[in-house]
Amino acid sequence: MTKPLLALHNVSLSFKGVKALTNLSFTVQAGQVCALIGPNGAGKSSALNIVNGVYRADSGRIVFDGTRFERIRPLKAARLGIGRTFQHNALFKHMSVLDNVMAGLTRHTRTGPLSHAFHLPRGRREEARMRERAEQVLDFLHIRPHRDAAAGTLPYGVQKRVDLARALVAKPKLILLDEPMAGMNQDEKEEMSGFIRHTNRTLGTTMLLIEHDVGVVMDLSDQVVVLDYGRKVGDGSPEAVRNDPEVIAAYLGTVH
Amino acid sequence: MDFFVETLVGGLLAGVMYSLVAIGFVLIYKASRVFNFAQGSMLLFAALAFVTLTEHGVPFWLAGAIALLLMILTAVLVERVVLRPLTGRSDLTLFMATLGLSYVIAGVAQAAMGTDVHALDLGIPDVPINVGPIQVSEFDLAAAGISGILVIGLSLLFTRTRIGISLRAVADNQLAAQSVGIRLDWIWRIVWSVAGFVGLVAGLLWGAREGVQFSLSLVVLKALPVLIIGGFTSIPGAVLGGLIVGASESLAELYLGPLIGGGLSAWFAYVLALIFLLVRPAGLFGEREIERV
């Protein structure tokens, strides 16, 4: 049995007495695409937000890449190699696409602000390396034509890709994708899931994603974790989950 | 006609001085969504430190450097003692905190350096000189030049440096900025330090004109209408807002003053600001926040 990249152990979270997650445990193996599904309010976003430290669990613990923590801050999560995208567009909307992606490299900067501000050789070399890396990611996700556009002015689907590029450029071990295909039509969804799969296959980046469209999820994922009212009701391969009576009762059965 | 132009130019140049105060607010508001009422006290603190040092024989540039260090120290303390503990609290809480902070800074500065009125001579004479057909103050021209350099420097900082990218990232979306590893604590320290530097420059210019004393901290009240007109989130807005306030104050004083007995410039800017609040609440360059439903 290989060591999982991410493991949640008995994680619970409540907001002012309302339970969002109850004793949630699951693991994600390195290099896999894992989807969190469940009806609205099932706790999917809460789980994601706990992994990158936006929320703090009331109890339970998380092990990521051998580091064990009970609570973590977003900054620390970024340092450990956890990147994320956001459900609602959270791009730096006044900045160019390139600057958005460059900002994604923040945790990789080594030279100080002074050597950069005064264009010292070290700062210049690092700047050049960062730019090259950012440009590669723009090519990888086919957003180079939008390189200099202000992110906030781009079509929705492109913004979602810029969000992914900003997370991806830092070479995270794990990317959390919060509804990467929300609000897209079928073509856009297929395109986006193509990029997610391409990223996973080519770069080996582990993905933990939330998605409502069960068809897309079953297609894309190696593993599916089903939540209902903050509890895990299913966990396994898409086929196994699809045939799990408890899952069908809780969730899949309600799809019309 | 020349008289009109002269009044207009004089007003515009005076407006630059308002812009300078307003820019300090914009910097902090953009990065931390805090309306920093203490900007006026920071300005007073910087000017008072500078003038006290020069009176004790410290050379000009050294006094400036020490005053700047004090501003940076203030920024670090504010981040640690005020901003960090109050992270995530309401805007009103943060505003009240800066209101308190304003009195603390002014109080500490005066306790350490006294409450006397100090004359401050920057070596720039405040005398009218002829520019073409009109006369303008040499001091006003110098102040406008210094402000112009400052604004250009700030825009280079924001657009050409990696710190600038981080600053703009935080201004656009704090949560996303943290998720890519940008350190909010450092951003706040940097922004408050830069605002402190802007405050130092503004404090010296205002201090040279009006004397360095407690009332210097009240220039915040002059910056408020500038911010309402220009928008709280835009440096160009702060510049333009200052120019509009300066010019309209002078012209109103000239043409409306005699009709209602003068003293217009004390409140005219607020009338203008009220009109803007009714017609264009986000200001000229400000952004109207669209709440997600």
Side-chain angles (χ1 to χ4, degrees):
Chain A
M1 176 98 187
T2 53
K3 256 197 174 160
L5 179 69
L6 175 73
L8 275 70
H9 297 287
N10 292 319
V11 169
S12 296
L13 173 75
S14 56
F15 296 107
K16 294 182 177 152
V18 179
K19 287 230 157 204
L21 294 172
T22 309
N23 291 329
L24 176 64
S25 303
F26 68 91
T27 60
V28 182
Q29 302 296 323
Q32 301 239 297
V33 177
C34 173
L36 279 174
I37 64 170
N40 279 326
K44 306 180 297 289
S45 282
S46 299
L48 214 61
N49 280 324
I50 281 177
V51 175
N52 109 301
V54 175
Y55 298 153
R56 304 209 189 150
D58 301 334
S59 62
R61 64 193 157 80
I62 295 166
V63 182
F64 174 75
D65 197 23
T67 309
R68 178 185 152 153
F69 51 86
E70 272 157 26
R71 39 184 52 186
I72 190 168
R73 290 178 180 280
L75 192 71
K76 180 84 187 301
R79 294 247 173 86
L80 287 175
I82 302 175
R84 73 166 294 171
T85 68
F86 294 83
Q87 176 182 2
H88 301 287
N89 275 325
L91 291 177
F92 307 130
K93 57 179 189 282
H94 297 102
M95 290 162 49
S96 72
V97 168
L98 181 66
D99 280 352
N100 265 276
V101 178
M102 294 278 280
L105 279 165
T106 303
R107 76 180 176 91
H108 289 291
T109 55
R110 292 282 175 273
T111 55
L114 287 180
S115 67
H116 178 78
F118 294 108
H119 286 264
L120 298 182
R122 245 158 52 92
R124 261 205 317 258
R125 274 200 303 275
E126 183 176 61
E127 170 87 10
R129 265 202 311 277
M130 281 174 64
R131 184 170 293 263
E132 195 185 313
R133 168 96 189 115
E135 305 257 8
Q136 281 170 3
V137 174
L138 293 185
D139 284 337
F140 188 76
L141 294 177
H142 299 193
I143 42 181
R144 176 180 286 280
H146 308 287
R147 181 180 181 273
D148 299 313
T153 63
L154 294 171
Y156 184 74
V158 180
Q159 291 200 20
K160 285 287 197 190
R161 253 184 285 159
V162 176
D163 199 358
L164 178 58
R166 181 176 66 185
L168 196 58
V169 72
K171 299 185 182 165
K173 298 184 183 103
L174 171 69
I175 295 189
L176 310 170
L177 299 156
D178 194 350
E179 302 204 19
M181 285 160 273
M184 289 185 173
N185 64 32
Q186 207 51 43
D187 287 348
E188 292 171 322
K189 278 183 184 172
E190 267 165 34
E191 192 183 24
M192 189 67 189
S193 53
F195 280 116
I196 293 171
R197 191 181 296 114
H198 182 47
T199 304
N200 172 255
R201 301 278 152 80
T202 318
L203 305 174
T205 315
T206 310
M207 308 270 186
L208 177 59
L209 66 95
I210 296 175
E211 180 49 47
H212 280 289
D213 188 322
V214 177
V216 170
V217 163
M218 296 298 177
D219 234 26
L220 185 61
S221 316
D222 303 303
Q223 177 193 359
V224 177
V225 174
V226 190
L227 301 183
D228 193 28
Y229 292 108
R231 293 171 191 276
K232 187 168 89 171
V233 294
D235 187 351
S237 69
E239 296 75 35
V241 164
R242 209 198 302 263
N243 300 319
D244 184 330
E246 201 180 347
V247 173
I248 293 167
Y251 182 49
L252 295 181
T254 66
V255 173
H256 305 292
Chain B
M1 189 59 205
D2 280 356
F3 190 51
F4 170 81
V5 174
E6 198 168 293
T7 310
L8 179 66
V9 171
L12 289 172
L13 291 173
V16 170
M17 301 269 285
Y18 299 151
S19 304
L20 211 48
V21 182
I23 287 169
F25 281 93
V26 171
L27 288 169
I28 288 176
Y29 188 78
K30 269 174 86 88
S32 51
R33 299 287 141 178
V34 175
F35 179 81
N36 176 30
F37 195 81
Q39 184 70 18
S41 291
M42 284 163 61
L43 187 152
L44 168 70
F45 182 27
L48 199 56
F50 178 87
V51 79
T52 306
L53 287 164
T54 49
E55 280 172 3
H56 285 81
V58 179
F60 186 93
W61 292 111
L62 184 59
I66 295 172
L68 180 59
L69 276 178
L70 284 171
M71 287 292 98
I72 294 170
L73 188 68
T74 308
V76 171
L77 278 174
V78 166
E79 190 276 325
R80 184 68 197 87
V81 180
V82 181
L83 297 179
R84 207 186 302 178
L86 293 180
T87 303
R89 303 290 285 276
S90 76
D91 291 356
L92 190 61
T93 306
L94 284 159
F95 171 70
M96 293 306 283
T98 69
L99 194 62
L101 187 65
S102 173
Y103 284 94
V104 171
I105 293 175
V108 168
Q110 289 182 305
M113 295 174 282
T115 53
D116 296 341
V117 181
H118 300 262
L120 173 58
D121 183 11
L122 298 175
I124 311 163
D126 201 353
V127 292
I129 53 171
N130 290 311
V131 180
I134 59 167
Q135 288 197 319
V136 290
S137 153
E138 190 178 338
F139 183 86
D140 280 347
L141 276 182
I146 291 167
S147 308
I149 292 167
L150 195 71
V151 169
I152 292 167
L154 287 175
S155 70
L156 288 176
L157 172 75
F158 275 101
T159 54
R160 292 291 157 84
T161 70
R162 222 160 44 211
I163 292 181
I165 289 185
S166 297
L167 289 172
R168 284 155 61 214
V170 169
D172 267 358
N173 195 311
Q174 286 196 0
L175 199 59
Q178 284 179 296
S179 84
V180 296
I182 293 172
R183 291 188 57 171
L184 279 184
D185 52 350
W186 272 103
I187 294 300
W188 287 339
R189 284 184 201 122
I190 291 169
V191 160
W192 280 68
S193 298
V194 174
F197 175 66
V198 175
L200 170 64
V201 175
L204 295 184
L205 292 173
W206 276 94
R209 171 146 280 173
E210 306 207 328
V212 178
Q213 56 185 314
F214 178 75
S215 66
L216 205 54
S217 66
L218 300 179
V219 295
V220 290
L221 299 176
K222 281 288 185 192
L224 200 55
V226 172
L227 292 165
I228 291 169
I229 291 168
F232 279 79
T233 52
S234 163
I235 289 179
V239 173
L240 193 63
L243 295 176
I244 290 173
V245 167
S248 56
E249 260 183 12
S250 301
L251 292 174
E253 187 71 57
L254 177 66
Y255 292 106
L256 298 177
L259 301 176
I260 52 172
L264 256 171
S265 63
W267 50 267
F268 187 75
Y270 279 91
V271 175
L272 216 57
L274 277 173
I275 295 170
F276 264 84
L277 278 178
L278 295 173
V279 178
R280 202 181 161 86
L284 288 172
F285 289 84
E287 276 197 57
R288 195 192 290 257
E289 291 286 324
I290 299 163
E291 293 288 327
R292 191 178 297 127
V293 250

